[in-house]
Amino acid sequence: MEFSQEDMAASNRNPLYQTLGIEALEASQGRARCVLRPKPAVCWPFPGQPHGGILFTLMDTTMAWAVITLVEPGQNCATISIEVQYTQRALGGEFVCKGWVVYRAGRMAYARAEVKDRAGGLFATAQAAFRVIRVSA
């Protein structure tokens, strides 16, 4: 499934992305890229440092975008499990997450993600399992 810039813009208007500061930039052929510009409210307990759960959500979101580029119309995905490794304190105003599908078999997909700053510093990595599901009308 391919997503137009209009599709991406519509998704970026959802309340979760708006609250956290997430923007989905691109998703195609099993790959996705999102950016986090954390709002001050999610930088807790340290100012300027987003909570680890925000980076977790960024990676989950980005990997899910990568997975749904490979599903059929009328399908979506649900996260089954995620394992996250935080490599250093996430300081800075903008974080880029790249996610990609490493394997797809039937109704299961496996993906990985990395969160870096614009200079290439690595802050977190993740790997996850997703279940491909039917979306009821």
Side-chain angles (χ1 to χ4, degrees), residues 5-133:
Q5 288 301 316
E6 293 80 24
D7 295 332
M8 301 298 284
S11 291
N12 286 327
R13 288 190 289 273
N14 81 68
L16 176 66
Y17 290 9
Q18 294 289 306
T19 299
L20 301 181
I22 293 173
E23 180 183 1
L25 301 175
E26 59 188 350
S28 179
Q29 300 177 344
R31 299 181 103 45
R33 187 169 59 97
C34 296
V35 66
L36 170 68
R37 295 177 194 95
K39 308 285 183 170
V42 303
C43 293
W44 183 89
F46 306 108
Q49 180 180 331
H51 186 275
I54 306 304
L55 296 179
F56 178 101
T57 302
L58 174 64
M59 290 186 287
D60 182 32
T61 297
T62 306
M63 289 185 287
W65 272 105
V67 171
I68 61 175
T69 66
L70 300 178
V71 303
E72 301 298 321
Q75 294 181 324
N76 207 318
C77 69
T79 308
I80 302 279
S81 67
I82 298 180
E83 182 181 334
V84 175
Q85 299 77 39
Y86 299 98
T87 60
Q88 61 179 312
R89 289 178 49 192
L91 296 172
E94 189 170 282
F95 303 92
V96 178
C97 183
K98 292 183 180 178
W100 61 96
V101 175
V102 294
Y103 185 72
R104 167 92 194 271
R107 294 176 58 191
M108 294 298 297
Y110 302 89
R112 292 191 181 186
E114 294 180 339
V115 176
K116 296 182 177 182
D117 62 12
R118 291 284 182 193
L122 181 67
F123 293 97
T125 65
Q127 48 280 332
F130 293 86
R131 176 90 173 189
V132 175
I133 58 172

